[in-house]
Amino acid sequence: MTKRVFSGVQPTGNIHIGNYLGALAQFVQLQDGNECIYCIVDMHAITLPKNPGELRGNILDVAALYLAVGVDPARSVVFVQSEVPGHAELAWVLMCNAYTGELSRMTQFKDKSRGNESAPAGLFVYPILMAADILLYDADIVPVGNDQKQHIELTRDIAVRVNNKYGPDTFVVPEGRFLKEGARIMSLDDPTSKMSKSAESPLSRISLLDDASVIKKAIMRATTDSDGEIRFDPDRKPGVSNLLTIHSAFTGTPIARTERAYSGRGYGAFKKDLAEIVETSLAPIRGTYEEIRYSEELIRVLKDGAERANAIAERTMKRVKDRFGLGTGRA
Ligand code: ATP
Ligand code: LTN
């Protein structure tokens, strides 16, 4: 039986190779044999203040990148979250079935709010909106990076809780799909924290649209260590291990083989080759992106995607309203 796949990326700019290897590459692979729905989660992006003009631009950037990496709008639904009202509607229903205690335990909230009394309430309920995104489409599989594990668990807990109360088939209980290699790409200049869109230093990441010179600079300057040995050991050699992970994710070569190939050759040679591998992998993505980013075709894809997504979302909302006894049931 074909499975339904759902995932989303925030339109926050600087989409990087961590997002690509951890999430986008899986989006493309999962199109074979599954029904895929890929969303640009703009409502998640406003949990922290955004410049409106920039946000609009970032939405189209992510949409163009989806298509550039190989998401095929003829096979998959591609749309913008705020264009389907069901997300906000279902989020409210789920909020009434989630506990403040479980939300306070979310590490992303703890990191981003840091006990700040004026942290937006949206940051606190962010995982509920994410649960709504997933449950609205009866998704079976959710491909995401490792950092989203806790949010997927919460989604499952809420789905099971509602099913126990309101009927076993109210929601499909989804499963996360995490990649082993490439599930967590670390920052290049601080390999103990994850590569992130929001990190201040541009040398911490490689964005999908970076050109050859920027890629080379970031990799050549990546933090390593002083023992000169190319060996995978994330605890003692986080920088080198991260570069090996990136190498393996782009080439498909097992890490052990790369360790042998570069044995005794020092970091310089490895880094130079890696920069070239990353550049040749990203060049075609950049090319397609430039062709479609400002095209009418992109707008048409998103409009069509929103219509298809809405049709599914409306069916789910009708079912949810019936189970909860909301409305008259005759609208
Ligand atoms: P931020 O910098 O704001 O934390 P982000 O880089 O985590 O943002 P998201 O839009 O939240 O970006 O994530 C998009 C997808 O990329 C998610 O599935 C997420 O798990 C994945 N992802 C993000 N960072 C990494 C990373 N360093 N390694 C692997 N996957 C990642
Ligand atoms: N929270 C995710 C983005 C996201 C998402 C989703 C991922 C929002 N809704 C639904 C998968 C399914 C993040 O920060 N990476």
Side-chain angles (χ1 to χ4, degrees):
M1 223 181 66
T2 55
K3 300 237 167 150
R4 171 87 49 82
V5 174
F6 182 94
S7 195
V9 171
Q10 292 196 49
T12 35
N14 297 326
I15 299 279
H16 50 73
I17 57 169
N19 300 133
Y20 176 61
L21 299 171
L24 295 175
Q26 292 198 76
F27 292 8
V28 176
Q29 283 162 8
L30 283 164
Q31 291 182 117
D32 292 327
N34 298 299
E35 188 190 340
C36 298
I37 304 178
Y38 297 127
C39 183
I40 298 137
V41 289
D42 57 344
M43 296 202 299
H44 278 93
I46 61 164
T47 44
L48 294 173
K50 290 280 155 4
N51 171 298
E54 249 172 54
L55 179 58
R56 284 257 159 100
N58 287 338
I59 289 170
L60 294 173
D61 282 351
V62 173
L65 276 174
Y66 271 167
L67 304 195
V69 300
V71 170
D72 173 7
R75 289 197 282 166
S76 301
V77 175
V78 179
F79 75 104
V80 182
Q81 184 185 34
S82 64
E83 296 183 347
V84 177
H87 293 255
E89 219 178 347
L90 183 58
W92 175 256
V93 175
L94 300 183
M95 264 185 252
C96 299
N97 287 275
Y99 306 135
T100 52
E102 60 192 353
L103 291 175
S104 335
R105 285 192 292 276
M106 295 291 125
T107 52
Q108 183 170 309
F109 171 69
K110 286 197 273 188
D111 289 349
K112 295 205 175 176
S113 66
R114 290 266 149 76
N116 175 3
E117 279 283 313
S118 39
L123 207 54
F124 186 60
V125 293
Y126 174 111
I128 307 271
L129 181 58
M130 176 162 166
D133 299 340
I134 297 167
L135 300 180
L136 192 57
Y137 297 97
D138 293 331
D140 302 292
I141 301 174
V142 186
V144 277
N146 256 346
D147 58 318
Q148 296 299 310
K149 253 187 186 154
Q150 209 186 15
H151 292 160
I152 301 289
E153 270 317 302
L154 179 74
T155 303
R156 291 169 54 87
D157 289 347
I158 295 174
V160 169
R161 189 177 301 151
V162 169
N163 285 353
N164 285 339
K165 244 195 241 171
Y166 296 93
D169 51 0
T170 308
F171 291 129
V172 170
V173 181
E175 271 180 39
R177 171 77 57 96
F178 313 96
L179 268 196
K180 209 156 65 237
E181 263 155 7
R184 203 168 150 85
I185 301 295
M186 308 307 280
S187 154
L188 293 176
D189 60 0
D190 169 17
T192 54
S193 57
K194 73 162 192 159
M195 186 177 285
S196 153
K197 291 170 185 165
S198 42
E200 248 169 63
S201 158
L203 286 178
S204 69
R205 61 181 162 255
I206 294 172
S207 299
L208 289 193
L209 301 174
D210 282 348
D211 63 27
S213 65
V214 178
I215 295 173
K216 191 155 181 211
K217 189 166 164 196
I219 293 187
M220 295 313 286
R221 294 211 186 162
T223 304
T224 47
D225 49 55
S226 55
D227 77 6
E229 210 186 319
I230 296 181
R231 186 165 47 83
F232 189 77
D233 181 350
D235 291 333
R236 263 172 284 170
K237 297 169 69 65
V240 173
S241 304
N242 189 38
L243 296 179
L244 280 165
T245 302
I246 295 171
H247 183 282
S248 164
F250 274 109
T251 58
T253 314
I255 287 178
R257 196 190 304 168
T258 309
E259 285 174 334
R260 281 198 300 277
Y262 286 95
S263 158
R265 289 180 55 200
Y267 296 152
F270 174 56
K271 282 179 162 179
K272 200 162 152 278
D273 290 350
L274 180 61
E276 228 173 272
I277 288 165
V278 174
E279 154 62 8
T280 22
S281 312
L282 298 187
I285 296 177
R286 210 163 57 230
T288 316
Y289 168 87
E290 274 154 18
E291 269 168 41
I292 52 182
R293 167 63 176 81
Y294 297 95
S295 67
E296 270 313 300
E297 172 66 9
L298 187 63
I299 306 296
R300 203 190 52 74
V301 163
L302 293 175
K303 217 168 159 184
D304 174 63
E307 263 172 39
R308 289 157 71 191
N310 247 315
I312 303 171
E314 279 173 10
R315 279 200 302 271
T316 308
M317 280 320 296
K318 170 149 189 2
R319 184 174 79 226
V320 169
K321 285 181 179 169
D322 285 347
R323 295 289 160 86
F324 279 79
L326 289 166
T328 60
R330 298 198 202 165

